């Protein structure tokens, strides 16, 4: 049976991932099939939207086929470079697609699965969603555009997720910014039918259609990382892994969380941690095309490294869960060594052949997701021109965002939480209750 199924229903075109035995891990033929269909449907006048989904709601896509990649790398087969190069080309095509594209990320969504969803204008999570970027555990690095999207999640959340591989479940993916909408699984067939009925390829019309099926507002903010966001910002703001671990050791507010996080980091490949942090810091100021190019060069080098082959062998093939990393300690690898070995001397074969020349430094369709901490900060300090530059109370700021986002479910809860944890009532506000942003 084909690993990629396609379907056409009225104005919708479907890519259906169908490699069940491998949890839809992406092979190179699957990557090429998806890219081919995206290209064809972009040009089709009868296609109003594109839906990417799995044939099984328990898993969307568990990642790239890294086991095959490791076997090829061990055999010195240079075609492993082609795999990652073409995967990132597909990710870029998805990031620049003009037709409304909806990724239904129900079930396990990891690594390469994030790559064929996060860049789409619309990403729908369900209660089954389990999302993570666990690459540092296998001697690799968060790729598929992670150097672009993780730094843009706001306030070091992406750094934390990229280094630790923390798993986001259900609504977590929505609150963190990976999903633009949260729709209960039982409503997905209704959502798909609604998308098929649309007679327009307008993005706002597509967004409105999805919003009809989102879950009701929560009585309380259930985001699992909400209690730790200030600690994440405080500890993961540094530019070396050593400083991050030291900050975690000094963490006083959430000591148990900090100790668990240190244990997690100590189980990861030291090389992967250092490569990942350098990658994320560089990606903050790079365009999306530049990020994919950087990752393609990294993939060509990291797949030939000891830790990648060791991680795949011991964790995914032999499943001993006892990889022997080289170097074994983060102190044995300097930043200069990381740059010289992995971020220098480009490999010509790894240069990506993008399908178009579109490029940008911020997602053009970010308005469909929830606001980030940075969005709220800019409103509080008056940098967002929509707020008029006046000092406002917490309640007034919440209502502004609710109106700006057209009463989108989740906005009120998230913005209120961000304000509660990052602002204080200004001493000069009198009875107005205006708030000021607190920088640590």
């Amino acid at each position: 049976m084909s690993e990629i199924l396609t379907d056409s229903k009225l104005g919708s075109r479907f890519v259906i991932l169908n490699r069940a035995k491998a949890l839809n891990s992406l092979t190179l033929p699957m990557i090429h099939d998806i890219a081919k269909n995206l290209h064809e449907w972009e040009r089709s006048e009868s296609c109003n939207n594109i839906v990417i989904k799995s044939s099984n709601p328990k898993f969307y896509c568990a990642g790239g086929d890294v086991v095959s990649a490791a076997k090829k790398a061990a055999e010195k087969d240079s075609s492993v470079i082609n795999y990652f190069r073409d995967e990132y080309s597909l990710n870029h095509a998805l990031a620049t697609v003009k037709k409304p594209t909806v990724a239904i990320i129900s079930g396990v969504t990891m690594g390469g699965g994030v790559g064929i969803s996060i860049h789409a204008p619309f990403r729908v999570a369900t209660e089954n969603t389990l999302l993570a970027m666990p690459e540092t555990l296998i001697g690799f690095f968060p790729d598929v555009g992670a150097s672009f999207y993780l730094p843009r999640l706001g306030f070091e959340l992406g750094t934390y997720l990229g280094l630790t591989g923390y798993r986001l479940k259900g609504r977590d993916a929505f609150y963190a910014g990976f999903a633009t909408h949260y729709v209960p699984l039982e409503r997905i067939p209704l959502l798909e039918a609604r998308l098929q009925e649309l007679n327009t390829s307008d993005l706002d019309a597509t967004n409105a259609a999805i919003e009809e099926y989102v879950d009701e507002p929560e009585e309380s903010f259930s985001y699992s990382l909400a209690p730790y966001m200030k600690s994440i910002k405080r500890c993961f703001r540094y530019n070396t892994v050593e400083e991050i671990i030291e900050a975690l050791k000094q963490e006083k507010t959430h000591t148990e969380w900090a100790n668990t996080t240190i244990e997690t980091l100590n189980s990861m490949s030291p090389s992967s941690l250092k490569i990942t942090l350098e990658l994320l810091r560089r990606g903050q100021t790079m365009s999306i095309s530049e990020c994919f190019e950087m990752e393609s060069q990294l993939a060509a080098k990291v797949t030939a490294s000891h830790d990648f082959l060791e991680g795949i062998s011991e964790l995914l093939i032999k499943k001993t869960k006892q990889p022997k990393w080289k170097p074994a300690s983060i102190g044995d690898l300097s930043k200069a060594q990381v740059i010289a070995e992995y971020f220098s001397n480009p490999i010509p074969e790894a240069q990506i052949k993008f399908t178009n020349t579109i490029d940008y430094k911020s997602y053009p369709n970010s308005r469909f997701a929830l606001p980030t901490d940075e969005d709220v900060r800019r409103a509080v300090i008056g940098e967002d021109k929509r707020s008029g530059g006046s000092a406002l109370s917490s309640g007034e700021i919440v209502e502004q965002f609710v109106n700006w986002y057209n009463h989108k479910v989740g906005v009120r809860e998230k913005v209120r939480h961000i304000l509660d944890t990052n602002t204080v009532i200004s001493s000069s506000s009198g009875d107005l209750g205006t708030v000021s942003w607190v920088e640590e």
Side-chain angles (χ1 to χ4, degrees):
M1 185 176 289
S2 175
E3 295 175 343
I4 294 290
L5 305 177
T6 60
D7 199 2
S8 175
K9 294 182 178 179
L10 300 177
S12 294
R13 302 294 178 270
F14 290 83
V15 167
I16 305 169
L17 307 175
N18 191 46
R19 193 182 177 216
K21 290 183 179 180
L23 304 184
N24 291 336
S25 293
L26 295 171
T27 63
L28 191 56
M30 291 171 72
I31 289 168
H32 290 162
D33 278 355
I34 297 171
K36 173 178 171 290
N37 285 300
L38 281 180
H39 182 65
E40 289 180 357
W41 293 336
E42 272 270 78
R43 296 180 296 171
S44 171
E45 293 184 2
S46 61
C47 171
N48 291 325
N49 55 68
I50 300 167
V51 178
I52 307 175
K53 57 181 283 190
S54 169
S55 58
N56 190 318
K58 293 182 179 179
F59 45 84
Y60 175 70
C61 173
D65 191 355
V66 290
V67 171
S68 294
K71 289 177 179 178
K72 289 182 178 180
E75 297 167 357
K76 309 297 182 184
D77 184 343
S78 61
S79 68
V80 69
I81 294 176
N82 302 342
Y83 175 86
F84 291 100
R85 182 194 65 202
D86 291 359
E87 183 181 21
Y88 304 158
S89 177
L90 167 61
N91 299 148
H92 178 268
L94 187 59
T96 55
V97 66
K98 293 175 182 171
K99 290 283 174 73
T101 302
V102 183
I104 300 177
I105 52 174
S106 183
V108 176
T109 305
M110 296 187 180
V114 179
I116 55 168
S117 57
I118 185 69
H119 305 295
F122 306 104
R123 293 91 61 189
V124 177
T126 74
E127 62 270 31
N128 279 3
T129 300
L130 177 64
L131 187 149
M133 295 295 292
E135 287 80 2
T136 54
L137 182 62
I138 59 170
F140 199 52
F141 62 92
D143 63 334
V144 294
S147 57
F148 187 81
Y149 65 77
L150 287 180
R152 287 159 179 79
L153 293 178
F155 288 14
E156 305 305 336
L157 174 60
T159 308
Y160 169 75
L161 296 175
L163 293 179
T164 66
Y166 181 86
R167 296 184 172 192
L168 300 166
K169 299 176 183 178
R171 291 181 192 268
D172 279 355
F174 174 53
Y175 289 132
F178 286 88
T180 57
H181 300 79
Y182 178 80
V183 176
L185 187 60
E186 64 180 10
R187 299 181 190 175
I188 293 297
L190 298 174
L191 169 59
E192 292 180 11
R194 180 72 179 92
L195 291 172
Q196 294 163 31
E197 295 172 353
L198 291 178
N199 59 4
T200 176
S201 57
D202 179 73
L203 287 166
D204 289 301
T206 305
N207 180 61
I210 301 172
E211 289 287 350
E212 293 174 18
Y213 297 92
V214 300
D215 203 11
E216 291 70 25
E218 292 188 291
E219 292 184 5
S220 60
F221 192 51
S222 66
Y223 183 26
S224 69
L225 289 177
Y228 311 109
M229 290 304 294
K230 287 193 75 172
S231 296
I232 288 172
K233 177 185 174 184
R234 185 164 51 241
C235 296
F236 283 81
R237 61 186 173 179
Y238 297 100
N239 293 326
T240 68
V241 178
E242 289 90 339
E243 288 176 298
I244 289 173
I245 291 178
E246 182 59 32
L248 287 165
K249 290 179 180 178
Q250 300 300 321
E251 173 65 21
K252 304 300 182 186
T253 307
H254 295 289
T255 55
E256 184 177 349
W257 166 84
N259 290 333
T260 300
T261 302
I262 291 171
E263 289 179 11
T264 298
L265 293 175
N266 284 337
S267 69
M268 305 301 188
S269 157
S271 297
S272 291
L273 291 176
K274 294 214 163 183
I275 291 168
T276 297
L277 187 58
E278 181 67 20
L279 177 80
L280 298 181
R281 294 299 182 250
R282 291 184 178 221
Q284 288 176 332
T285 58
M286 296 172 75
S287 72
I288 193 161
S289 295
E290 290 170 336
C291 284
F292 283 127
E293 287 284 18
M294 173 172 61
E295 292 177 12
S296 186
Q297 292 295 329
L298 266 179
K301 295 166 185 173
V302 173
T303 51
S305 71
H306 167 273
D307 277 12
F308 177 68
L309 299 178
E310 177 75 3
I312 298 300
S313 174
E314 299 305 312
L315 291 162
L316 299 183
I317 299 176
K318 297 178 183 177
K319 299 183 179 180
T320 65
K321 296 184 179 181
Q322 295 180 332
K324 294 179 175 59
W325 305 124
K326 292 182 182 179
S329 168
I330 60 170
D332 295 333
L333 184 65
S334 69
K335 180 174 180 177
Q337 288 174 300
V338 169
I339 293 173
E341 188 169 349
Y342 297 104
F343 291 87
S344 305
N345 303 316
I347 297 172
E349 293 79 8
Q351 184 172 351
I352 301 173
K353 298 174 183 176
F354 293 116
T355 57
N356 62 64
T357 58
I358 299 173
D359 202 9
Y360 50 75
K361 288 194 172 183
S362 61
Y363 281 116
N365 300 309
S366 59
R367 68 187 185 279
F368 299 125
L370 293 177
T372 65
D373 304 65
E374 177 61 17
D375 294 328
V376 178
R377 186 192 73 84
R378 293 182 68 249
V380 172
I381 67 175
E383 285 187 0
D384 191 321
K385 295 179 180 179
R386 295 175 298 177
S387 62
S390 302
L392 300 171
S393 69
S394 177
E396 289 170 330
I397 294 169
V398 169
E399 291 309 314
Q400 274 193 341
F401 274 94
V402 169
N403 290 326
W404 289 343
Y405 283 76
N406 198 27
H407 296 266
K408 181 180 179 69
V409 170
V411 170
R412 184 182 301 278
E413 295 85 350
K414 184 173 181 180
V415 173
R416 184 185 292 129
H417 168 75
I418 293 171
L419 291 170
D420 287 347
T421 55
N422 293 282
T423 64
V424 295
I425 295 177
S426 303
S427 57
S428 59
S429 67
D431 295 330
L432 299 177
T434 58
V435 295
S436 299
W437 191 267
V438 178
E439 297 284 0
E440 291 197 26

